[in-house]
Structure formats: structure tokens, C-alpha cells
Amino acid sequence: MKIGELSRRTGVPTRLLRYYEEQGLLSPERTENGYRDYGEPTVRDVQQIRGLLDSGLTTEMIRAILPYLSGPDEILLPADRLTPETAALLQSHIDRIQSRIDCLARNRDRLSAYLAAVRPEGDS
């Protein structure tokens, strides 16, 4: 399929699809006239890339793990293929996520305490 059809099927603008290619996340074939030609599995790949980007992963991290994704909820990265660099990238991301969770939990607790202090009793 051409880039326009891939864009329509995934909801991702063609500009972003070209960017994913520049970042090494997509590798389309080229037709004789130079047009990009994407296979059917690329639809799933683009959906996974979008989901990973939305979760906060960088294109560098995605490039490292994309070959091992077998579905939206599963990474099949054999232990012998996990490089120290990839492990460090993933651990760094886990640490950032945990920091955000901790911050959100503190804010939630502070807001709850404030509401409990200012609300009349029995008011929810």
C-alpha cells in the first residue's frame, strides 16, 4: 500500500510516517518509480509505534524494542539480545514513570486532604 493509504488506515499523517522512516522505525519497500510500498503488517507496526510514543517512550527506545514486539502487550526480547544500552534506556524510562506516579500520588493525597479539611461533614 502507498503512504496515503497507510495514513488513512492508521490515522497517522503522512508527515509522521515519513518521520518514522527517518528514525528507522519503518522500512518500506520502494516501487520502480520510487514510491514507498508498505506491507499489511505495517498497519500494526504504526499502531504499536503510536501507542509506545503515547506512553512516553522515545523513538530511540522504540527502535531498540520494535523488532521484538509480537503484539500490543508483549515484548519477546531474548535475554541474550538485550544489550546494556537497551537495558539502561528501558530502566531510565521505568524510573521516569515511577517518578511521575509518585508525584501524582502526592498531589492526589494533598488534594484529598484539602477537600477533607474544607468540606462540611457528610458532604462528598
Side-chain angles (χ1 to χ4, degrees):
M1 79 188 84
K2 292 183 181 159
I3 195 167
E5 182 181 345
L6 181 61
S7 175
R8 281 188 297 281
R9 290 185 59 190
T10 61
V12 175
T14 57
R15 179 183 54 81
L16 277 178
L17 294 172
R18 288 185 193 98
Y19 173 75
Y20 297 162
E21 183 182 350
E22 290 170 10
Q23 295 300 306
L25 303 178
L26 297 177
S27 301
E29 299 290 325
R30 294 286 183 158
T31 61
E32 288 182 18
N33 59 6
Y35 289 124
R36 291 169 177 83
D37 185 28
Y38 297 95
E40 188 63 33
T42 308
V43 172
R44 181 187 59 96
D45 292 343
V46 169
Q47 292 166 339
Q48 285 187 321
I49 290 166
R50 290 301 314 151
L52 293 168
L53 287 168
D54 289 346
S55 75
L57 267 66
T58 65
T59 55
E60 181 183 8
M61 288 183 222
I62 295 169
R63 188 173 40 254
I65 65 171
L66 192 61
Y68 306 104
L69 295 176
S70 63
D73 298 322
E74 190 172 9
I75 298 176
L76 299 175
L77 179 59
D80 63 334
R81 299 292 305 259
L82 180 65
T83 66
E85 294 81 13
T86 301
L89 279 172
L90 294 174
Q91 186 60 55
S92 174
H93 187 65
I94 290 167
D95 294 344
R96 281 194 305 277
I97 290 172
Q98 188 60 55
S99 291
R100 288 193 313 235
I101 291 169
D102 295 344
C103 180
L104 289 169
R106 281 191 306 274
N107 290 338
R108 179 204 58 218
D109 294 346
R110 288 178 187 144
L111 290 171
S112 294
Y114 173 75
L115 283 176
V118 297
R119 276 189 179 155
E121 282 191 42
D123 197 13
S124 297

